[in-house]
Amino acid sequence: MTVDKDYRNTVCCPVLEDVEKKKQDLEDEIKQNLSRTKIIYNKVRERGSIYHEKFAKIYNDKCAYCGALWGLLPTESFEIDHYINEASFPDTTEGRIKAGRMENLVWSCTSCNRGKRGITIKAPYDELLNVDNGNIAAVFERDGDYYIRIRSTYQNDEFIRRFYEALHLNYETKRLDYMALQLERKYQTEKDEKKKHILGESLSLLLKRRNRISS
Ligand SMILES: [Zn+2]
C-alpha cells in the first residue's frame, strides 16, 4: 500500500523496511542460539537483553503505533506489544506460544501498548491496522498542528475510533513526541554551534513539558 506520508515519521526518519523478514530472521537467530525456546515473547521482552535491542532496531527504535522515539523517552517507556492481544488466545501453553510468536509482536511505547490491551483486533482490521507493512498509515495522518488524526475515509468507522481513543493517539503527548523527534533530528545535523545550542535548549524544554503532562 502506498500512502502520501507515514504519520509516524518526520521527513528525517528512515522508513520501516522489511519488518516481517527482519522479525523472521531474529526469530531464527533466537531459536538457533536458545534451542529450547518456545515462547519468543519471553526472549525479546527482557529489557537490556540483546534480543530486546535487536527487536527495537527492526522498528528504528520507534513506537510502531505513534512513532515516539525510544531514545528521547525513559528506557522503561517502551515494551513489547502483542498485536492480537493475549486475551484472544486460549489460556494454555499452546495459546501462549501462539500469542508470543514473533509475527504477533510489535515494538510499542507503554502508552500505546497499555491503552490497546482491551482491544481485540479481528479481520479486516488486522490487515488494515498492520504496522509492520505500513498499512496503518492509510488509516491515520498527522495534521498541520502535528496531532494524529483519523483519515476522512475512516471517520465514521466505530472500531477505528475506539482504537484511536484507546491508544490515546489524539493526546498532546503524542504530538509533543513528534515535535521532539523533529527537533532532535535538526539538532543532530546542525553545524552552527549557536543554533545547535538553541535547538538543544528547545528540545530539553519540550521534553520537560511532555513529561510533566504524562506524569
Ligand atoms: Zn506509541
Side-chain angles (χ1 to χ4, degrees):
M1 168 152 322
T2 49
V3 286
D4 53 350
K5 202 163 172 271
D6 189 328
Y7 70 97
R8 300 171 295 177
N9 292 331
T10 71
V11 283
C12 320
C13 293
V15 293
L16 292 179
E17 265 172 336
D18 304 325
V19 172
E20 285 135 331
K21 158 99 174 53
K22 288 176 186 166
K23 279 163 76 172
Q24 185 58 54
D25 289 349
L26 182 59
E27 177 170 2
D28 293 346
E29 185 186 332
I30 292 172
K31 284 188 168 160
Q32 201 166 27
N33 293 343
L34 309 160
S35 56
R36 292 164 72 181
T37 300
K38 288 211 162 61
I39 305 176
I40 293 292
Y41 172 68
N42 292 342
K43 301 300 165 199
V44 291
R45 70 184 292 193
E46 210 176 304
R47 287 202 180 103
S49 77
I50 177 92
Y51 301 120
H52 189 72
E53 282 175 18
K54 282 189 174 183
F55 190 78
K57 279 278 162 296
I58 294 174
Y59 288 90
N60 296 334
D61 284 340
K62 292 172 75 219
C63 173
Y65 298 103
C66 73
L69 180 69
W70 194 21
L72 287 176
L73 300 175
T75 316
E76 64 276 14
S77 312
F78 277 76
E79 49 203 12
I80 311 292
D81 165 67
H82 290 86
Y83 183 64
I84 307 295
N85 61 4
E86 285 179 286
S88 305
F89 295 89
D91 189 16
T92 58
T93 307
E94 212 43 53
R96 279 186 286 277
I97 291 173
K98 264 192 149 176
R101 70 191 191 279
M102 183 61 91
E103 201 192 316
N104 193 38
L105 305 178
V106 169
W107 182 245
S108 168
C109 73
T110 48
S111 160
C112 288
N113 182 33
R114 290 176 193 189
K116 187 175 150 287
R117 224 170 246 173
I119 301 263
T120 301
I121 304 177
K122 290 186 181 145
Y125 294 101
D126 53 345
E127 250 325 293
L128 200 59
L129 294 168
N130 189 322
V131 286
D132 289 355
N133 66 13
N135 278 358
I136 194 169
V139 178
F140 303 111
E141 62 188 345
R142 195 69 69 165
D143 75 8
D145 288 323
Y146 307 120
Y147 282 102
I148 300 172
R149 302 287 180 211
I150 301 173
R151 285 184 190 261
S152 55
T153 325
Y154 300 102
Q155 279 294 339
N156 300 319
D157 188 309
E158 248 175 71
F159 182 80
I160 295 293
R161 182 149 298 276
R162 202 150 63 79
F163 181 90
Y164 175 72
E165 285 168 6
L167 274 73
H168 309 142
L169 293 177
N170 53 335
Y171 274 28
E172 175 78 12
T173 42
K174 310 275 183 192
R175 172 180 181 247
L176 294 176
D177 285 338
Y178 183 82
M179 291 168 76
L181 183 58
Q182 226 170 11
L183 261 182
E184 193 263 352
R185 295 291 137 123
K186 278 207 180 108
Y187 173 83
Q188 292 297 348
T189 51
E190 181 58 60
K191 299 273 186 290
D192 183 297
E193 277 306 315
K194 255 191 190 161
K195 284 188 190 157
K196 198 178 177 75
H197 181 73
I198 296 170
L199 284 169
E201 295 269 287
S202 315
L203 179 59
S204 99
L205 278 174
L206 199 147
L207 289 173
K208 260 188 210 153
R209 176 166 167 207
R210 189 244 179 246
N211 293 330
R212 236 192 349 258
I213 295 177
S214 70
S215 61

